[in-house]
C-alpha cells in the first residue's frame, strides 16, 4: 500500500497473517492470553511511542489530538463508551503509523485488534478505568507533541501497566 508523502506500507496480507496467528495463540491459551497480550504491549508500545515522538508529522500529531478529544468526548455525560474505544484504537494506531515503519504497523495492528475487547471491559466495568487511561493518553500525546521520546516511552509504559493492573484487580 502506498500513501502519498508517507511511503509504501506492506501491511495488508502480512497484518492478516500475523493477526490470524495471534488469534490462534489467544484461543489456545484463554487463561493466559490477556497476560501475554499485555506483556507484548509493554515491550512494543513504549518504543513505538518514543519513535513517534521523533518521527510524527504535524498532520499525524493533529490526528492524534483529534483521537484524544474523541476519547474525552466518549467519557463525557453526552458521550458514548464506543466513542472512547474507537478513539483509543485510532490513537494507538496513529502512534504506530507515525513511526513510518511498515513492519511495526504489521505487528501492532493485530495486537490493537485483540485488545479492543479488553478496552471495552476496562471502560465499562472498571470504575474510573477510562478516566485513568485518558490521563495517560494525554501524557503520551503531549510527549509526542513536544518531541520528547523519553517521556513518550515512560508515559506509554505507565499507561499499559495501569490498564493491566485495573483489569487484573477487577477479574480477581
Amino acid at each position: 500500500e502506498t500513501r502519498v508523502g508517507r511511503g509504501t506500507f506492506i501491511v495488508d496480507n502480512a497484518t492478516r497473517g500475523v493477526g490470524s496467528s495471534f488469534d490462534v495463540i489467544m484461543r489456545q491459551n484463554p487463561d493466559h492470553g490477556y497476560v501475554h497480550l499485555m506483556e507484548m504491549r509493554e515491550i512494543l508500545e513504549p518504543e513505538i511511542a518514543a519513535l513517534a515522538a521523533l518521527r510524527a508529522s504535524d498532520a499525524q500529531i493533529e490526528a492524534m489530538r483529534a483521537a484524544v478529544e474523541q476519547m474525552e468526548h466518549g467519557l463525557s455525560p453526552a458521550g458514548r463508551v464506543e466513542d472512547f474505544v474507537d478513539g483509543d484504537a485510532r490513537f494507538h494506531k496513529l502512534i504506530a503509523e507515525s513511526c513510518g515503519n511498515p513492519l511495526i504497523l504489521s505487528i501492532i495492528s493485530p495486537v490493537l485488534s485483540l485488545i479492543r475487547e479488553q478496552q471495552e471491559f476496562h471502560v465499562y466495568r472498571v470504575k474510573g478505568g477510562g478516566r485513568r487511561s485518558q490521563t495517560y493518553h494525554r501524557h503520551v500525546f503531549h510527549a509526542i507533541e513536544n518531541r520528547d521520546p523519553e517521556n513518550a516511552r515512560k508515559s506509554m509504559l505507565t499507561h499499559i501497566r495501569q490498564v493491566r493492573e485495573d483489569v487484573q484487580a477487577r477479574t480477581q
Side-chain angles (χ1 to χ4, degrees), residues 27-77:
R27 288 178 195 275
Q28 289 174 341
N29 287 301
D31 293 338
H32 301 293
Y34 178 73
V35 173
H36 294 157
L37 187 61
M38 294 307 287
E39 198 170 77
M40 186 172 190
R41 288 186 72 196
E42 286 179 9
I43 292 166
L44 296 175
E45 287 194 76
E47 293 307 316
I48 291 170
L51 276 176
L54 297 171
R55 297 179 180 173
S57 69
D58 291 344
Q60 288 167 323
I61 288 172
E62 286 309 309
M64 285 180 221
R65 181 187 318 279
V68 169
E69 289 170 1
Q70 179 181 355
M71 288 183 280
E72 193 67 38
H73 174 72
L75 293 173
S76 73

Side-chain angles (χ1 to χ4, degrees), residues 54-165:
L54 297 171
R55 297 179 180 173
S57 69
D58 291 344
Q60 288 167 323
I61 288 172
E62 286 309 309
M64 285 180 221
R65 181 187 318 279
V68 169
E69 289 170 1
Q70 179 181 355
M71 288 183 280
E72 193 67 38
H73 174 72
L75 293 173
S76 73
R80 300 174 318 135
V81 171
E82 293 79 15
D83 293 333
F84 178 86
V85 173
D86 290 345
D88 182 77
R90 200 173 87 186
F91 179 66
H92 286 273
K93 187 170 183 183
L94 284 163
I95 292 170
E97 287 175 350
S98 297
C99 293
N101 181 329
L103 295 176
I104 289 173
L105 194 56
S106 71
I107 295 294
I108 201 65
S109 289
V111 171
L112 296 175
S113 294
L114 289 170
I115 65 168
R116 184 161 184 117
E117 183 179 314
Q118 290 299 324
Q119 290 167 319
E120 290 173 1
F121 175 89
H122 183 242
V123 175
Y124 278 116
R125 296 194 181 156
V126 176
K127 185 176 182 179
R131 184 57 56 202
R132 281 189 294 282
S133 285
Q134 185 62 358
T135 296
Y136 289 110
H137 288 140
R138 288 200 172 282
H139 290 312
V140 171
F141 170 71
H142 289 303
I144 292 170
E145 180 183 41
N146 292 323
R147 310 293 185 184
D148 185 344
E150 190 54 43
N151 275 331
R153 179 183 294 114
K154 179 182 164 189
S155 296
M156 183 63 80
L157 181 59
T158 304
H159 165 52
I160 294 166
R161 287 180 175 166
Q162 165 261 319
V163 170
R164 184 191 65 211
E165 289 167 7

Side-chain angles (χ1 to χ4, degrees), residues 11-27 106-107 109-111 113-114:
V11 296
D12 202 37
N13 288 333
T15 299
R16 275 197 293 267
V18 172
S20 295
S21 296
F22 286 175
D23 190 53
V24 167
I25 292 167
M26 293 288 288
R27 288 178 195 275
S106 71
I107 295 294
S109 289
V111 171
S113 294
L114 289 170

